[in-house]
Amino acid sequence: MTVLRPDPPAHGPQQVPDQPPASAMRRALARARDGKTLNVDEAAVLLHARAGDLDTLTSLASRLRDQGLEAAGRPGVITYSRKVFIPLTRLCRDRCGYCTFVTVPHRLPAAYLSPDEVLDIARQGAAMGCKEALFTLGDRPEDRWPAARTWLDENGYDDTLSYVRAMAIRVLEETGLLPHLNPGVLSWQDLQRLKPVAPSMGMMLETTARRLFTERGGPHFGSPDKDPDIRLRVLEDAGRSSVPFTTGILLGIGETLTERAESLFAIRQVARAYGGVQEVIVQNFRAKPDTKMRATPDADLQDLAATIAVARLVLGAQVRIQAPPNLIDDEYALMLRAGIDDWGGVSPLTPDHVNPERAWPQIDDLAARTAEGGYALRERLTIYPEYVRAGEPWLDPRLARHVAALVDPATGLAKDGALPQGLPWQEPDGGWESAGTGSGRTDLHVTIDSRGRTTDRREDFSSVYGDWDELAAHVPSGAAGPAPASPAAAARLDGAVKDALRQAERDPAGLTDGHALALLDADGPALESLSRLADGLRRDVAGDDVTFVVTRNINFTNVCYTGCRFCAFAQRRTDADAYTLSLSQVGDRVDEAWEAGATEICMQGGIHPDLPGTAYFDLAQEVKRRRPDVHLHAFSPMEVINGTSRTNLPVREWLVRAREAGVDSLPGTAAEILDDDVRWVLTKGKLPTASWVEVVSTAHALGIPTTSTMMYGHVDTPAHWVAHLRVIADLQRRSLENNGHRGFTEFVLLPFVHTSAPIYLAGLARPGPTPRENRAVHAVARLLLHGLIDNIQCSWVKLGPELCQAVLDGGVNDVGGTLMEETISRMAGAGHGSYKTISDLRALVAPTGRPLRQRTTDYGTPPAERIAAAEASDGVCAAVRNPGRRDLPVVSLSGPAAE
């Protein structure tokens, strides 16, 4: 199909785009009529629709909108939110050419509204029946304006977002209004900080047209937060964080119609992938005096209607589409016909500070104009009904009572006549015991070997992980594993492997990425040579002893809504296999482990939405209260970030508090593959690579050791393994240079266990690495980490005895621990039991001819009393040890997915 693409317009008065051929318009309308999926070119054609073509287009969009309202259970209902507008600060580090909201410090009485001013607006709004407090502000003004930095310092706030968070809590507690936060560009960690204090957030995408950002004179030139790639990343991170999020486009700022269509398709992709886009605003540009774009004509309302209609056809029936009613003159009927189903926020109290020249309509008048179009106007909350009904993970438990006080449970819309009243944002924190006395399948750690899983997947499988079809497009190429090589390619590979082996003999740590990739392809005699080389290095730095630690894993809960697509351990709180231990149950397991000779407790758990702010500290204190001398190896970087968001502490301060509570070292889990392109396929909401690096780097700087891990063989490639190893090596070098000591104690290789992993059940991941790959990657890890990390550990849980023995002959010096309760891999389908006795480990190691030696967490020698206690119990406590139930396969499940 040929579409005329006009030249990009100048950044100023808009040019009238060339019309496409009439045949192109007829074809695009016919495809839309027949429910066919439109492409960008067809959407761009439809954006030209006027007169009769616009009538046809809007009728199609209106029909689709009505189908969506019917499916949502509110046929014929157009919604709005009764709100107050809180302009927390009008300072900003950006310089957008059309913005009149932003100003400079000398034009303001203060850099920020004071708490009293914020609460005065909110209280007046609550008295008038408003239910939403819209916090609007400029992006990180302290980065540009000294006045903003000074105000924050004088008032005790680290940054603008800390003040936003504090004011949102006060509004909740003192007025009952529900905050909707529009603070601009947010990082993944920012979203974690703010999610507990706001049922929804938002940020306009505006446009994906990069030239409007990069070219001098463009409306976004000189505005670092208007980079389209950054703004799309915010939308994605909000979806990953399960934040109901408002976004939209701004039309008429110099974009072409094709660029406008591309912006809609970008929003659609994010909405489908994560399900977090609760509404899309289609907003028309209005020129403002005293701005660079003051002479630019206002966006045409016919153009706005066509864009709304195309947005409806592109985004579908289920996405809520809004047009601000104060920007459409008298064209209410046209916008209704175009397919909107929401008028957005309307305030009976405060002006629209972004468009101050355009007054809000009176709500009674808006209802009358909506009725003239054949629809009823109903008030909603800032969080849309679909997300209210879904509850977790979209609505944080700390906000549930605030929302429940204002919502009609039958519809998810606002309760008629409800007036907000302040409620405590968080009950006085009673610590871990306030989370309950233990619930659910708390015997899972022993019954997983006898009874297995109840079902092969959690009940919200189809929704908690995002859209599987959309996700499939992002699986890295080559992730299915290597294809058989042609004879010529095999010969070239053989030569590359030999060259890499020669280089490894001369300088193993100096291998290039190309060398490492060649070695990961080694097979046959070359693989044996690689293994011998790696094993020689192992002997040089770690000796012949095969080490292990007597440890007990304690997974205090498996309730989690993070949405890791590889994880079969996480459950909803209502799932049959879900459980949460009480503090006393955790303590009892510590006592049992100590009596069995344990020197270490390894403690991690799901990201339970009800965890109190002090939960991790409470758990650590209980461990040390029971057994002060046990080493507590606890809390992954993901749990650390969760702890910082719940306590609003910086990472460094949180880690200091954790150490004071009793944490001795951190597991370097939650790493998976340290490449965000892979991570965002593997997991919906887990921390990004940068956050993982921040946590472990900070821990190392504080003198808190960590392990390091890599989970491989799913949707990754050998190139990702090499890059991951480079990141680990780099972090170790940095710790040596900056801190004077090694931060990582060991590197643990974790092959993907596929059987019950959601991403495998959905058909996106391969069934784990091959035996050859397992041998090669353990050996290459020994080479690339030589001189940096001396201890390379294999996982008997995931590999089984034969492969463990093979990698012990190829560079590995440690087999982990007795574990006592290994539930995570067993839930995923690993068939090698949930614990190993010391006798089991001796039998596993014996074929290698090397001695087995018990160690401490930091690879020292345990006290004689600990060794004696471990030998007496064979390294596993009596409450767990049951030889008749060891090494049984997971209970077989019906259906092809379990095969």
Side-chain angles (χ1 to χ4, degrees), residues 65-197:
R65 180 265 323 278
D66 291 346
Q67 292 171 357
L69 292 176
E70 182 79 33
R74 49 181 187 275
V77 171
I78 303 297
T79 52
Y80 80 102
S81 175
R82 190 183 295 245
K83 72 177 181 185
V84 293
F85 199 125
I86 300 177
L88 195 65
T89 178
R90 293 179 59 198
L91 301 180
C92 184
R93 69 178 181 178
D94 294 321
R95 297 173 172 85
C96 298
Y98 47 78
C99 182
T100 193
F101 174 75
V102 169
T103 186
V104 293
H106 71 266
R107 294 183 178 176
L108 296 171
Y112 296 81
L113 293 183
S114 70
D116 287 343
E117 290 172 317
V118 170
L119 291 170
D120 182 58
I121 295 170
R123 289 190 184 105
Q124 290 185 58
M128 298 177 74
C130 296
K131 299 173 182 64
E132 172 186 346
L134 170 63
F135 282 79
T136 295
L137 55 149
D139 276 82
R140 304 181 191 276
E142 65 271 31
D143 289 354
R144 178 182 177 191
W145 299 109
R149 180 72 269 166
T150 299
W151 190 97
L152 292 168
D153 290 342
E154 290 176 349
N155 287 274
Y157 297 101
D158 291 335
D159 52 26
T160 295
L161 294 185
S162 295
Y163 187 46
V164 170
R165 190 179 195 275
M167 288 302 96
I169 291 172
R170 290 198 64 179
V171 165
L172 285 163
E173 293 194 323
E174 299 185 36
T175 73
L177 292 183
L178 302 177
H180 176 83
L181 306 182
N182 277 355
V185 167
L186 297 170
S187 69
W188 181 89
Q189 284 183 236
D190 294 333
L191 289 159
Q192 311 310 303
R193 289 172 65 192
L194 296 177
K195 180 178 177 179
V197 304

Side-chain angles (χ1 to χ4, degrees), residues 619-841:
L619 286 162
Q621 288 166 348
E622 176 66 7
V623 171
K624 292 295 187 170
R625 186 182 73 81
R626 294 292 189 108
R627 298 295 171 177
D629 294 332
V630 78
H631 182 105
L632 180 56
H633 183 62
F635 311 136
S636 71
M638 180 65 192
E639 291 170 288
V640 172
I641 293 297
N642 184 46
T644 65
S645 71
R646 291 177 184 276
T647 58
N648 201 33
L649 293 172
V651 169
R652 185 181 184 88
E653 187 175 340
W654 192 94
L655 287 171
V656 169
R657 290 275 303 274
R659 181 168 59 186
E660 291 170 349
V663 172
D664 297 300
S665 61
L666 268 57
T669 49
E672 281 71 72
I673 292 291
L674 294 173
D675 180 301
D676 283 345
D677 288 341
V678 175
R679 293 179 75 76
W680 297 139
V681 175
L682 273 180
T683 174
K684 178 186 173 188
K686 212 166 206 175
L687 77 174
T689 297
S691 296
W692 191 93
V693 168
E694 179 188 1
V695 171
V696 298
S697 299
T698 307
H700 295 169
L702 291 169
I704 301 172
T706 76
T707 59
S708 54
T709 64
M710 179 174 78
M711 187 187 75
Y712 60 97
H714 32 75
V715 293
D716 50 354
T717 68
H720 295 117
W721 308 347
V722 173
H724 182 103
L725 286 163
R726 297 296 193 201
V727 172
I728 298 299
D730 233 20
L731 289 170
Q732 190 78 315
R733 284 192 196 93
R734 268 196 271 165
S735 184
L736 286 165
E737 293 167 3
N738 299 334
N739 311 319
H741 58 79
R742 294 182 177 187
F744 294 126
T745 56
E746 65 197 36
F747 182 67
V748 187
L749 292 112
L750 304 170
F752 174 58
V753 178
H754 69 283
T755 310
S756 296
I759 197 167
Y760 176 75
L761 296 178
L764 270 63
R766 63 180 176 129
T770 66
R772 184 201 65 76
E773 288 174 317
N774 279 313
R775 291 184 61 194
V777 74
H778 282 76
V780 169
R782 170 62 71 185
L783 300 181
L784 294 186
L785 299 176
H786 182 60
L788 294 169
I789 299 177
D790 292 341
N791 302 299
I792 306 295
Q793 181 186 123
C794 66
S795 171
W796 61 258
V797 176
K798 300 175 187 294
L799 288 175
E802 290 184 7
L803 270 175
C804 276
Q805 290 157 8
V807 298
L808 281 168
D809 285 337
V812 168
N813 67 294
D814 188 80
V815 290
T818 55
L819 304 188
M820 301 197 202
E821 49 179 279
E822 206 305 316
T823 313
I824 295 174
S825 296
R826 293 291 286 132
M827 286 286 281
H832 305 295
S834 57
Y835 68 87
K836 281 276 188 278
T837 64
I838 296 175
S839 298
D840 292 334
L841 292 175

Side-chain angles (χ1 to χ4, degrees), residues 265-346:
F265 275 77
I267 292 173
R268 184 181 75 175
Q269 181 178 354
V270 175
R272 288 182 175 179
Y274 303 105
V277 176
Q278 67 164 1
E279 67 177 333
V280 175
I281 301 170
V282 181
Q283 183 170 331
N284 47 318
F285 167 79
R286 291 281 189 173
K288 310 290 192 302
D290 300 323
T291 66
K292 288 190 294 184
M293 294 179 66
R294 58 187 175 275
T296 302
D298 289 350
D300 176 72
L301 294 182
Q302 299 284 307
D303 191 18
L304 174 63
T307 304
I308 291 170
V310 171
R312 171 60 66 198
L313 296 175
V314 168
L315 297 172
Q318 74 285 357
V319 173
R320 305 298 151 225
I321 296 178
Q322 174 198 132
N326 59 323
L327 302 182
I328 61 171
D329 295 338
D330 202 39
E331 295 287 359
Y332 294 89
L334 176 59
M335 303 311 154
L336 286 168
R337 290 198 307 274
I340 67 157
D341 48 20
D342 186 81
W343 289 118
V346 178

Side-chain angles (χ1 to χ4, degrees), residues 391-402:
E392 294 169 340
W394 298 102
L395 180 62
D396 191 281
R398 301 185 197 194
L399 300 168
R401 289 194 308 140
H402 300 83

Side-chain angles (χ1 to χ4, degrees), residues 105 140 256 260 289 432 599 652 803 817:
R140 304 181 191 276
T256 67
R260 190 183 301 173
W432 180 261
T599 58
R652 185 181 184 88
L803 270 175

